[in-house]
Amino acid sequence: MSILVSEAVSNNDEMRIAEIYHKALRLFILIGSIGSITMFTGASKISDIINITGSAQSILAISPAVLAACICGAVRGYFQGRQIMIHTAVSQIIEAAGKLGLGLLGAVYAVSCGHKS
C-alpha cells in the first residue's frame, strides 16, 4: 500500500491517494473481520487442532487483534507512502506498550487463578 500511495504522491494525484486508501482500508477491514470472526467462532476447533488443552479462551481473547492489525496496517501504509513516519513510530510504541501491559495483566491474572509455569 505504501508503494501505491508513494507513487500517487510523486504524481501529485490526491484523488488517487484517497482512492487507494479507502479501497485498501475496506479490503483490510474485510480480511481482518473474516479472520477475527473465524478465530472467535472456531476457537475450540483451533484449540483441538493445535492440541493445546484450554487454549480456546486465549484464542477468543486475541481474536480482535487480527482486525486491529489489519486496520493498523492500512493506516501505517498510508502514512509511510506519504513519508510521514512519526505516525508509524508512535503507533508501534503504543502497540508494544499495550502488548507489555496486557501481557503482564494476563500473567498476574493467571497466577492469581493458580496457574504456574
Side-chain angles (χ1 to χ4, degrees), residues 29-76:
I29 288 172
L30 175 67
I31 292 169
S33 297
I34 291 169
S36 289
I37 291 167
T38 301
M39 284 181 69
F40 189 81
T41 59
S44 61
K45 185 69 173 167
I46 295 169
S47 177
D48 293 340
I49 290 170
I50 62 175
N51 199 24
I52 300 175
T53 307
S55 64
Q57 290 175 331
S58 297
I59 294 168
L60 285 171
I62 65 169
S63 64
V66 175
L67 177 60
C70 287
I71 293 170
C72 284
V75 174
R76 284 178 183 169

